[in-house]
Amino acid sequence: MKKLIAGNWKMNGSLAANETLIQGLLAGLANSAPSCDIALCVPSVYIAQVQSLLADSNAIAVGSQNVSQHENGAYTGDVSAEMLAEVGVRYSLCGHSERRQHQAENDTHVAIKAQRALMAGITPIVCVGETLSEREAEMAEVVVKRQLAAVIRLLGSSIDKIIVAYEPVWAIGTGRTATPEQAQQMHAVLRAQLQSATENADKIRLLYGGSMNAGNAAELLAQPDINGGLVGGASLKSADFLAIIAAAR
Ligand code: PGA
């Protein structure tokens, strides 16, 4: 299965910094064609700029970091799936742990977001992952399965159209990565859960996220159930992101 390397810029960037970063990426990709799919999930205000910087290249798709669970109307500050699709967004992160934590998104919201994205023709990247205290309490699998179950319940047979990102919260932005064994073990759990929901589970891409970088990407991406990466900090430097792309074969 073709891997996906998705950058998550989070709330970083500026017109000038974005341009430098994209130019660096395009220059690097001009030298060697990537063997994986690539996406950049950028702040909504920069979607148009990034689309236009990428206009001559079809190697990189643009994604959003969130999508409203509402269709349209009186939801000040929200951006709908239809709006994102209209401007060419191909992927939307749904339920990133930072939004679950700071914006009180729960499993139900996340499932509805994924459904809205799909209905608009956008591929949802549904993020799941346990906190450190949940892992220490040996609740990691229970939590992650609960998070995915809510999406399976709502989407039914359309579950095979999503991407899942396993991001242990304790590994995000901390420099502390899950070991390849820890990541593979959880990915296998997620794969098995998907297998009981769809016969196409083997075609669903499962991304790992949490301090993935140029040094650890190859080993993580070599695991049988890791089909790509969701990359935060290391997606902000073109050399680092290009090295991760090169590691995704
Ligand atoms: P990180 O972030 O790579 O900086 O740990 C990953 C993410 O939050 O998606």
Side-chain angles (χ1 to χ4, degrees):
M1 167 167 21
K2 200 167 184 188
K3 293 193 168 67
L4 170 67
I5 301 297
N8 172 14
W9 287 2
K10 311 195 181 189
M11 200 168 71
N12 294 294
S14 67
L15 292 172
N18 303 345
E19 188 165 346
T20 306
L21 177 51
I22 300 283
Q23 279 166 355
L25 292 175
L26 291 178
L29 294 173
N31 298 331
S32 64
S35 48
C36 62
D37 290 331
I38 307 168
L40 294 176
C41 299
V42 307
S44 294
V45 289
Y46 295 136
I47 288 171
Q49 182 209 13
V50 171
Q51 294 276 20
S52 92
L53 288 168
L54 293 173
D56 294 335
S57 156
N58 55 11
I60 304 178
V62 176
S64 69
Q65 298 175 7
N66 181 35
V67 56
S68 178
Q69 66 258 39
H70 305 292
E71 191 175 359
N72 57 40
Y75 299 101
T76 302
D78 268 19
V79 179
S80 76
E82 287 289 340
M83 292 171 186
L84 294 168
E86 189 182 19
V87 298
V89 162
R90 300 255 309 278
Y91 301 92
S92 287
L93 301 183
C94 298
H96 189 282
S97 63
E98 286 151 15
R99 296 198 59 85
R100 291 181 190 259
Q101 189 184 343
H102 304 302
Q103 263 72 31
E105 290 186 5
N106 63 30
D107 296 343
T108 308
H109 300 141
V110 175
I112 298 171
K113 284 166 186 274
Q115 187 181 48
R116 290 261 177 238
L118 270 185
M119 279 163 44
I122 293 171
T123 301
I125 301 177
V126 173
C127 304
V128 299
E130 81 286 358
T131 62
L132 184 58
S133 60
E134 288 163 344
R135 176 159 284 261
E136 285 171 349
E138 295 184 1
M139 291 294 286
E141 281 185 24
V142 172
V143 168
V144 167
K145 286 171 79 172
R146 186 204 72 218
Q147 292 171 336
L148 182 59
V151 186
I152 293 174
R153 218 176 297 124
L154 188 67
L155 295 190
S157 60
S158 299
I159 195 70
D160 62 357
K161 296 186 180 60
I162 76 164
I163 293 172
V164 180
Y166 169 57
E167 298 203 303
V169 177
W170 46 271
I172 294 180
T174 57
R176 185 176 163 192
T177 321
T179 64
E181 294 73 26
Q182 283 173 322
Q184 166 56 30
Q185 189 190 10
M186 191 62 86
H187 280 232
V189 166
L190 293 169
R191 182 84 65 200
Q193 188 178 5
L194 290 164
Q195 268 155 355
S196 56
T198 170
E199 58 193 22
N200 295 325
D202 292 345
K203 301 197 184 98
I204 299 175
R205 292 195 276 200
L206 305 181
L207 314 183
Y208 169 79
S211 299
M212 184 180 269
N213 59 41
N216 61 28
E219 214 187 338
L220 286 160
L221 293 167
Q223 302 304 310
D225 286 302
I226 299 186
N227 314 115
L230 181 54
V231 185
S235 72
L236 297 171
K237 293 196 196 108
S238 58
D240 290 356
F241 198 54
L242 286 166
I244 296 173
I245 290 166
R249 328 218 133 258

